């Protein structure tokens, strides 16, 4: 037997190794990716909830084969010809190439344990989940479908806030979505807001905190401005973790914290209880 050939099996590349192992940002444990997937992307060592994309969210949320996407062709334009280090058009092109999506929001309908609902899911990997004109339009259309079908609405927020490249056009989405939610409320249809890590800026200041029931994932960062900015503004130190879900629950800003493994059942139960 040729021992050289026996032990000359090609070694995995650095990229192949990193794609198979995940490091927890909370406890620094190194975990095999399949182990994390089987735990709904929750660290089995400390319970830290890793950020997930739309695909993973739908796999955990929707009954198999029930999700139908709407408005997938809506794409942002550059209304004010914004330029910083790059043009806004270039940033959109890069985000589309990176994610395969045309906006930071995916909207559609699905069933959860047989209960139908309209869902809107933010994708933080698309320009930080920022809120622009297309995202606001998709949310409003989802609200209108909920009214038309007499269904509940669920929005999963994961955003850094309003998209600065669209200036006032982006800020107007805060009032636009809030006004549409008022129409939903008049129809006595439930809106459940799920705050994931992070939910910040104009998103947290508008529709994310207008839910009939506001749920957060454990440890989610939730707020408007960052802690350092607030401390510099008021000239005082703030308590550790004051923008985390647990602090907000303790002080009455949200209704409940739900582990990701239990979220599907919680949402379907709530929609059943709140059904008109």
């Amino acid at each position: 037997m040729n021992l050289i050939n026996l032990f000359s099996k090609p070694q995995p590349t650095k990229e192949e190794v990193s794609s198979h192992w995940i490091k927890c940002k909370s406890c620094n444990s190194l975990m095999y990716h399949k182990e994390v997937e089987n735990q709904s992307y929750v660290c089995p060592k400390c319970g830290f909830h890793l950020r997930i994309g739309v695909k993973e969210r739908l796999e955990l949320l929707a009954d198999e084969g029930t999700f139908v996407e709407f408005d997938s062709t809506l794409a942002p334009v550059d209304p004010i010809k914004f330029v910083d280090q790059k043009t806004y058009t270039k940033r959109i092109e890069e985000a589309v190439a990176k994610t395969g999506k045309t906006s930071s929001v995916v909207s559609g309908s699905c069933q959860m344990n047989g209960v139908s609902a309209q869902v809107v899911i933010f994708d933080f990997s698309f320009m930080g989940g920022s809120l622009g004109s297309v995202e606001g339009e998709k949310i409003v259309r989802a609200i209108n479908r909920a009214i038309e079908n007499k269904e509940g609405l669920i929005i999963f927020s994961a955003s850094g806030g309003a998209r600065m490249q669209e200036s006032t056009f982006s800020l107007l989405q805060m009032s636009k979505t809030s006004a549409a939610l008022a129409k939903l409320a008049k129809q006595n249809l439930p809106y459940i807001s799920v705050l994931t890590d992070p939910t910040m800026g104009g998103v947290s200041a508008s529709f994310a905190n207008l839910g009939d029931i506001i749920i957060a994932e454990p440890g989610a960062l939730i707020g408007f401005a960052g802690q350092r900015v607030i401390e510099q503004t008021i000239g005082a130190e703030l308590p550790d973790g004051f923008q985390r879900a647990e602090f907000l629950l303790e002080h009455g800003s949200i209704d409940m914290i739900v582990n990701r493994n239990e979220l599907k059942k919680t949402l379907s139960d709530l929609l059943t209880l709140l059904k008109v």
Side-chain angles (χ1 to χ4, degrees), residues 87 90 97 111 120 122 144 146 166 175 178 230 247 257 271 273:
T87 65
K90 181 64 176 177
Q111 292 186 1
V120 175
F122 274 77
N144 290 337
E166 292 189 18
S175 57
S178 299
I230 298 173
F247 186 93
I257 296 174
L271 288 174
L273 287 170

Side-chain angles (χ1 to χ4, degrees), residues 63 128 135-136 234 273:
D63 295 346
E135 289 73 21
I234 67 175
L273 287 170

Side-chain angles (χ1 to χ4, degrees), residues 108-110 115-118 142-143 145-153 184 189-191 271:
S109 64
C110 73
V115 181
S116 62
Q118 295 296 319
I143 293 169
R145 286 193 301 270
I147 293 173
E148 181 180 351
N149 299 328
K150 299 190 181 303
E151 294 176 329
L153 170 73
L184 185 74
L189 294 169
Y191 162 43
L271 288 174

Side-chain angles (χ1 to χ4, degrees), residues 27-39:
C27 68
N28 293 321
S29 296
L30 196 62
M31 303 162 290
Y32 186 54
H33 76 102
K34 284 294 184 183
E35 180 185 15
V36 181
E37 288 179 15
N38 293 336
Q39 296 290 330

Side-chain angles (χ1 to χ4, degrees), residues 28-248:
N28 293 321
S29 296
L30 196 62
M31 303 162 290
Y32 186 54
H33 76 102
K34 284 294 184 183
E35 180 185 15
V36 181
E37 288 179 15
N38 293 336
Q39 296 290 330
S40 303
Y41 300 90
V42 176
C43 176
K45 306 293 194 302
C46 69
F48 177 76
H49 282 50
L50 284 73
R51 294 178 183 176
I52 60 175
V54 174
K55 178 178 178 291
E56 294 79 13
R57 180 70 67 186
L58 286 171
E59 288 175 350
L60 297 172
L61 176 73
D63 295 346
E64 186 174 356
T66 64
F67 178 72
V68 178
E69 184 176 2
F70 296 100
D71 306 318
S72 60
T73 59
L74 292 182
V77 294
D78 189 1
I80 61 172
K81 308 302 179 186
F82 187 93
V83 180
D84 46 47
Q85 293 177 337
K86 301 177 183 178
T87 65
Y88 179 35
T89 300
K90 181 64 176 177
R91 291 191 182 278
I92 294 170
E93 291 174 354
E94 291 176 348
V96 172
K98 175 185 176 182
T99 65
K101 301 179 179 65
T102 58
S103 75
S104 67
V105 156
V106 170
S107 63
S109 64
C110 73
Q111 292 186 1
M112 296 164 289
N113 296 320
V115 181
S116 62
Q118 295 296 319
V119 295
V120 175
I121 304 173
F122 274 77
D123 186 346
F124 192 77
S125 64
F126 190 103
M127 298 189 70
S130 51
L131 174 67
S133 300
V134 168
E135 289 73 21
E137 179 64 18
K138 283 189 174 184
I139 292 171
V140 170
R141 292 189 184 190
I143 293 169
N144 290 337
R145 286 193 301 270
I147 293 173
E148 181 180 351
N149 299 328
K150 299 190 181 303
E151 294 176 329
L153 170 73
I154 304 171
I155 299 180
F156 291 83
S157 297
S159 175
R163 187 173 300 168
M164 62 177 247
Q165 290 87 352
E166 292 189 18
S167 187
T168 306
F169 290 93
S170 175
L171 295 177
L172 285 172
Q173 306 311 308
M174 298 168 62
S175 57
K176 176 178 177 177
T177 53
S178 299
L181 286 171
K183 291 166 57 179
L184 185 74
K186 287 183 179 180
Q187 299 297 318
N188 294 318
L189 294 169
Y191 162 43
I192 301 175
S193 178
V194 182
L195 312 181
T196 73
D197 184 62
T199 300
M200 300 293 291
V203 169
S204 72
S206 55
F207 59 83
N209 274 305
L210 291 177
D212 299 305
I213 296 177
I214 302 175
I215 299 173
E217 289 191 331
L221 179 66
I222 303 163
F224 183 69
Q227 180 169 343
R228 184 171 58 183
V229 173
I230 298 173
E231 288 179 336
Q232 291 174 346
T233 302
I234 67 175
E237 289 189 10
L238 294 166
D240 290 337
F242 90 105
Q243 288 182 318
R244 294 292 174 180
E246 291 73 14
F247 186 93
L248 297 179

